[in-house]
Amino acid sequence: MSTNNTAGLPQNGGVSAMTLDNYIFPAHRLRRQQADSNRIPLVLVACGSFSPITYLHLRMFEMANDYARINTQYEVVGGYLSPVSDAYRKAGLAPSSHRVRMCELAAEETSSWLMVDPWEAIQPEFTPTAQVLDHFEYEINQHLGGALSADGQHRRPVKIMLLAGADLIGTMSTPGVWAEKDLDHILGNYGAMIVERSGTDMDEALASLKPWEDNIHVINQMIQNDVSSTKIRMFLKRDMSIEYLLPRPVIRYIEEHNLYIGDDMNPKEKQKASQ
């Protein structure tokens, strides 16, 4: 994907330097004009801890881009990583400043079209996914005016869609985990592209999400990859190599800042990592 827009980054060191006071929506890689007016412009948004970001997180965007191009009428014009704020208080969660910076290193140094939006990460309170997607809807379609058609004659609204792993769809299908209104807002108004993962029964998970099945796209992994942030943290605690599991700039950053060295995993997390 081309990178024909250089606006949308602060002058003081990238997205990891942003605060609530100097926040600017990153749009330096957002393609502002479509290549094919017969398609619907689409922006993919992945929300998560990214503690740390792995190659699987990045690979999900490539799989979704291929899926959209081959199987749908969507045209991907941008992709965003949105790290959760520190208020999420999950075991193994590095400070948001580190997680945003690692995502930034991964996106800027290994991709030509991915971006990191720190808006969610710098919020003092936890922000529900539905509100995060509303934020992207506002910034891209209201503030930036959507995407220009291929012929340059008119502007079109950009479809915002959640990109996630199958474990997320599993939680969505579990009673009591998600509020019904949030599910309807996310899956009804935006939709989701879900990358399958081993150990998740997609048919069972999707069975309880029938009202929104037309807005849920399941992407099969042709090359299975079960690398997880949990396993990366376990490797680091055991003083084991994590080379080729995450981008080298992220590995250097982890080493320089001595991240994930302390034993902050709870027993349930340790068991999950050892499986």
Side-chain angles (χ1 to χ4, degrees), residues 50-54 56-57 90-92 197-199 221 224-243 245-246 254 259-260 264-265 268-275:
F50 304 113
S51 190
I53 187 170
T54 73
L56 178 55
H57 293 129
K90 178 183 178 181
R197 285 183 180 175
S198 58
Q221 281 204 70
Q224 291 298 318
N225 183 343
D226 66 348
V227 173
S228 70
S229 299
T230 302
K231 291 179 179 179
I232 295 298
R233 295 196 299 273
M234 177 62 77
F235 273 40
L236 289 166
K237 287 173 176 58
R238 293 178 176 176
D239 195 25
M240 296 170 65
S241 171
I242 55 173
E243 291 287 347
L245 296 176
L246 27 157
I254 290 172
L259 299 179
Y260 309 115
D264 56 357
M265 276 189 176
K268 186 176 180 180
E269 191 176 28
K270 288 181 180 179
Q271 183 179 8
K272 181 180 176 182
S274 63
Q275 293 175 347

Side-chain angles (χ1 to χ4, degrees), residues 109-121:
E109 298 197 28
T110 70
S111 171
S112 64
W113 61 283
L114 297 183
M115 293 160 281
V116 183
D117 182 10
W119 181 84
E120 180 184 0

